[in-house]
Structure formats: C-alpha cells, structure tokens
Amino acid sequence: MKFALVIFETDASRRRIQDDREAYRKEYETWIGTLAADGKLVGGEALETERQGPVTVRTGLDGASEVTEGPAYGGKETLGGWFLVEVADRAEAVELARSLPTPETIEVRPVLESA
C-alpha cells in the first residue's frame, strides 16, 4: 500500500533549521536514506517555505476564482513537503512517520489506488 507522509513544519522545527541547518539536513538525509535502503521510499518533495509564500486559488461552483496570498488553511504549522512510501499497511506508515527524528507534524494519508 502507498501512503503519503505529509510534513508540516512547526515553530520548533523552524527554530532548529535556523539554529543549525546542516545538522537538521543530516538528520533528514539519514532518515530518508534508511527508507530508501529498506525499499520503502517511492518519492517525495520539499516545498519552499522561507523565501516565497504560497498563493491560494479557490474556485466556486459558479466557476469564479478568488486568489489570496497565503496558505489555504492558516495556522501554526506550514506545509513543508511530503514523502510517498510503499508499506504493508497503515500501521507501518505510522511507524515510519514516528521515526522521523526532527520535530515536524506528519499527516499520514493513504494514496487512492485507481480501479
């Protein structure tokens, strides 16, 4: 089964990035390397979260679009990226998320399999 591990940066993770970006990246790269070596990493991407903010486009039922600066859902956490993993089940995906050594919030979502 495929799952998306959706990463949300927190105030704590942003502070760690700012304090020691190199050490932070090393922790992430080690974790990603382990997923890849175990054959569980399918892909993933990091999003730019420091130099340019997001823009949200909402389209109503009438087809009219509204464009606003900022994330779709504002809050203390910022969407930072995602990883796509292939594992046996949801419990394994949750364990992979729990093993991330950095202080982010991770949302575990099953990937819709087409019929």
Side-chain angles (χ1 to χ4, degrees):
M1 298 180 72
K2 289 182 183 169
F3 287 85
L5 305 181
V6 183
I7 311 295
F8 291 89
E9 293 179 355
T10 63
D11 289 340
S13 67
R14 280 189 287 277
R15 277 192 301 278
R16 283 194 58 197
I17 291 168
Q18 292 165 352
D19 290 346
D20 192 345
R21 186 176 304 274
E22 189 173 317
Y24 187 86
R25 285 190 61 86
K26 184 175 173 88
E27 286 181 281
Y28 241 107
E29 289 169 0
T30 299
W31 183 76
I32 294 165
T34 300
L35 294 180
D38 291 345
K40 296 176 183 181
L41 182 65
V42 175
E45 294 290 340
L47 299 174
E48 170 59 59
T49 60
E50 293 183 39
R51 291 182 282 279
Q52 186 171 4
V55 174
T56 299
V57 179
R58 287 191 171 88
T59 303
L61 292 175
D62 63 358
S65 295
E66 177 186 349
V67 179
T68 56
E69 292 290 328
Y73 300 100
K76 293 181 180 182
E77 298 169 326
T78 304
L79 180 60
W82 65 88
F83 293 98
L84 188 60
V85 297
E86 188 153 359
V87 294
D89 55 27
R90 182 175 181 258
E92 185 177 3
V94 169
E95 283 308 308
L96 291 179
R98 290 181 65 163
S99 72
L100 180 67
T102 56
E104 279 88 10
T105 297
I106 302 178
E107 187 173 303
V108 177
R109 291 272 188 139
V111 173
L112 181 63
E113 307 254 349
S114 299

